[in-house]
Amino acid sequence: MRHRQIKNVLISVFNKKNLSNIVIRLHKLNVNIYSTGGTEEFIKNLHIPVKKVEDLTSYPSILGGRVKTLHPKIFGGILARRDLEIDNNEIEKYKIPEFDLVIVDLYPFEKTLKNSKSENEIIEKIDIGGISLIRAAAKNFKDVLVISHVDQYDDLIDILKRNSTTLKTRRLFAAQAFNISSHYDTTIFNYFKTDELLLKESVLEYKKLRYGENPHQKGIFFGNINEIFDQLHGKELSYNNLLDIDSALNIINEFDDPTFAILKHTNTCGIASRDNLTEAWECALSGDPISAFGGVLITNTKINIKTANKINDIFFEVLIAPSYADKAINILKQKKNRILLLQKNNPEKITETRSIINGTLYQEKNLKTDDKDNMEIVTNHKPNSKDLIDLIFASKICKHSKSNAIVFAKDKQLLASGVGQTSRIDALNQAIKKAKRFGFNLKNAVMASDAFFPFADCVEAAYKAGITHVIQPGGSIRDNLSIDYCNKHDICMIMTGTRHFKH
C-alpha cells in the first residue's frame, strides 16, 4: 500500500475557510508547517508555529506577491523522489525539507470573472504559483498528498486521524487535482480565446464546414473523418450530413445479415435485412419512399451493379458502403453532388459528449443490444423463432430512434415508426397512421418500444391494429395492466429490463 507519514506540509491558500481545524490537527501531530503571506499570518494568529517560505528560500516575496513559492527549494521538496538515491543526496546537500502534504486553494479566477469588469483585476486572479504547486504535488503522488480545494478538507481530517496516507489515496487526490487545474486553465483560456485562436491553436484536427445546422450558423468539425471513410465522389460533407452519418453507422453496426438502411434527420425511416442486397434496398425504400428523398443511405454489403441502378433512380444526399463494384461507382457518379463514401473502419468511440448550457454532458455510449439471452417472456403466448428474430430486429431499430419511439416490423423489415413524440401513445398512433399510409398490413407484425408502457393503452391500440408480439423494457409499477391485456387477447409480450431512451 506504500503508506507515507506526514512530517512536512506546505500550505498556501486564498480561502482560509475551515483551515484552522486542519492546522490545529497538524500541530498536534508535530508536523512542520511551512506557509506563505496571508496564510502564514493566519496560522500565526492561531498561536501555532509556522515557518515562512521566505526563510526556507532565503528570498523575499516580490512583485507584490506575484512570486512567492517559485523556487527550487520549494519545488525540490515537492518533486523529490524518495526512492531515488540521487534525489535524496540533493535534498540533503541543499537542506531541503521533503513535503509530504501540499494544501493549495487557487485564486478565485472564475468568481472574479463573474463579478468584475476590470481586466487588471481579472488578470491578477490568474494563479501562477498555486497552480504550479498543485501540478508538482499531483505529479509526485507516489510520495506527496495534494489537497487542491477546500471541499476536500473533511477528507483530509479523516486522513490526519491516521497521520498516514496510502498510494491509492494519494493517486485519487492527484486525479482530482489535475481535474481542478484543467478546469481552471480552461476557464482562463475561454476568457482569452477567439474563434480564430480556437482553430489555430487546436490540438485536434478540424475542418470548417460550409455552415452549421442552418445557413446562418457557422460550423466546424473537430476530428479526422478520413480515418473512417474515403470520399469517392460528391460535394463536401455538411454539418447535418455528419449527424446523419453518425446515426447511420450506429444503426448498421447492429446487423450482421446483408442490410440496407435509410435515415432522415438521424432517424431510420427504412431498413431491411435480406440475403439479396437489391431486395434489402427495395424493402427498405418501401418503408417510407417519401422520407427517403434527400436521405442518407447505408449498407454493410458491397454495392453491386443491379442495386446501384435501383438506387440511381432516387435523389439522396449520401451513400455509405464497405465496397462498390467498379461499374456501380460509375452509375452512382452520374449525379454531380451525390456523396459516395467508402467505409474503411468503425469509430472506436465508447463515450459520448454533448455541449449544453454552460458545460458538457458525458456518458458511456449505449452499447447494450437486446438479444434472446436478456429477455423475459411475461405472457402466456410464447414467440416462435421467426417472431423472436423480428422482435430483436425491431428492438435494434427502436434503440436508435428518438424518444418516445415505437417501431413496427415484420419479416426483418421496418414497416413504420413513431419517433420523437411527447407521449408514447402519440408515437404509437403516428406509427399506425404511417403504416396505413404506405399500405402495410400490421397483422402478425411485432412492436418495439424504447421504454415501458405506464398503461395498457398502447398494447390495446397496437392489438386493434393487428400487432400480436411486443417487446419493451418493462419496469413500470403498472406493468401488470399491459400483461393482463396481452394475456386476455393472446398477445406475446417480452420484457428486456433495458431502457433505450435517445434524447
Side-chain angles (χ1 to χ4, degrees), residues 156-175:
L156 179 57
I157 288 289
D158 291 337
I159 291 169
L160 293 178
K161 289 177 182 177
R162 303 183 297 272
N163 190 24
S164 176
T165 65
T166 65
L167 179 60
K168 181 179 179 181
T169 298
R170 294 192 297 274
R171 186 183 181 92
L172 174 63
F173 278 84

Side-chain angles (χ1 to χ4, degrees), residues 40-244:
E40 185 247 343
E41 285 294 325
F42 176 85
I43 295 171
K44 280 175 61 177
N45 290 335
L46 295 174
H47 305 293
I48 289 175
V50 56
K51 300 180 181 183
K52 295 176 68 172
V53 162
E54 290 91 333
D55 293 339
L56 173 62
T57 63
S58 299
Y59 209 93
S61 170
I62 63 172
L63 306 179
R66 273 190 164 195
V67 180
K68 297 190 288 286
T69 57
L70 298 172
H71 193 279
K73 281 196 172 183
I74 299 298
F75 283 87
I78 295 172
L79 288 166
R81 293 157 291 189
R82 315 299 164 84
D83 55 358
L84 281 188
E85 185 177 355
I86 186 172
D87 284 16
N88 289 327
N89 290 339
E90 291 186 350
I91 287 293
E92 185 175 348
K93 177 181 177 180
Y94 297 111
K95 298 180 181 179
I96 300 174
E98 292 177 319
F99 293 109
D100 312 292
L101 172 63
V102 173
I103 304 173
V104 176
D105 175 58
L106 297 170
Y107 289 165
F109 179 83
E110 195 166 10
K111 183 178 180 181
T112 305
L113 193 61
K114 291 177 180 177
N115 298 331
S116 176
K117 294 182 180 179
S118 166
E119 179 157 273
N120 285 338
E121 186 178 356
I122 291 169
I123 296 302
E124 286 308 309
K125 287 300 183 287
I126 298 177
D127 206 314
I128 303 301
I131 201 78
S132 301
L133 293 172
I134 284 176
R135 291 179 63 84
K139 176 177 180 176
N140 201 26
F141 67 89
K142 290 183 178 179
D143 297 304
V144 181
L145 173 66
V146 57
I147 299 297
S148 49
H149 198 279
V150 293
D151 290 345
Q152 298 169 337
Y153 283 6
D154 288 342
D155 293 327
L156 179 57
I157 288 289
D158 291 337
I159 291 169
L160 293 178
K161 289 177 182 177
R162 303 183 297 272
N163 190 24
S164 176
T165 65
T166 65
L167 179 60
K168 181 179 179 181
T169 298
R170 294 192 297 274
R171 186 183 181 92
L172 174 63
F173 278 84
Q176 293 173 358
F178 282 122
N179 184 35
I180 286 170
S181 69
S182 174
H183 175 79
Y184 194 79
D185 285 340
T186 299
T187 305
I188 295 170
F189 171 68
N190 286 336
Y191 172 70
F192 282 99
K193 77 178 181 185
T194 62
D195 288 343
E196 290 75 17
L197 182 67
L198 179 63
L199 294 180
K200 185 177 179 181
E201 301 298 327
S202 174
V203 296
L204 297 174
E205 293 190 55
Y206 69 89
K207 178 180 177 60
K208 282 188 175 181
L209 304 172
R210 298 195 305 274
Y211 51 81
E213 204 162 6
N214 298 289
H216 62 276
Q217 297 169 267
K218 292 181 180 178
I220 301 166
F221 170 67
F222 286 92
N224 182 6
I225 199 167
N226 295 326
E227 293 177 353
I228 311 301
F229 303 108
D230 282 336
Q231 183 164 344
L232 307 179
H233 183 69
K235 61 186 178 182
E236 290 187 2
L237 290 165
S238 71
Y239 183 99
N240 292 334
N241 288 157
L242 289 166
L243 287 175
D244 285 326

Side-chain angles (χ1 to χ4, degrees), residues 7-21:
K7 298 177 183 177
N8 296 302
V9 59
L10 174 65
I11 307 176
S12 179
V13 298
F14 181 86
N15 185 349
K16 314 298 190 296
K17 182 181 177 182
N18 298 328
L19 182 62
S20 57
N21 293 333

